[in-house]
Amino acid sequence: QRNDSGSVFQPEEVKELIKALKEYTPTIPDEITKYLLQTSGCNIEDETSIRLVSLATQRYISEIISVARNYNKMRRESEKTND
């Protein structure tokens, strides 16, 4: 639900997210994320924003791996039933 200011998140929730991001160590180091952002034309200096991009990238890669694993499992099961 949106609040009176039109925001989806409450200010307290945003503060908690920022605090959690600062304490979290992503799989993809911030330095690599910052470098890749810079090479693609995004000059972001804010560490929290970089960490958020790292986390989103990690989530995206994890989802791709999960889908590939499930697809491979279904393919192998299909091959077993066809034998």
Side-chain angles (χ1 to χ4, degrees), residues 19-65:
K19 181 180 175 188
L21 282 173
K22 289 180 181 178
E23 296 172 358
Y24 180 75
T25 304
T27 303
I28 303 167
D30 292 338
E31 296 80 15
I32 292 175
T33 301
K34 184 175 180 179
Y35 171 77
L36 292 172
L37 285 168
Q38 287 175 341
T39 59
S40 62
C42 298
N43 191 15
I44 300 174
E45 296 296 328
D46 179 46
E47 291 180 24
T48 305
S49 296
I50 293 169
R51 180 71 50 92
L52 187 59
V53 171
S54 293
L55 184 61
T57 303
Q58 179 178 331
R59 172 71 172 106
Y60 181 69
I61 291 170
S62 296
E63 186 66 26
I64 290 172
I65 292 169

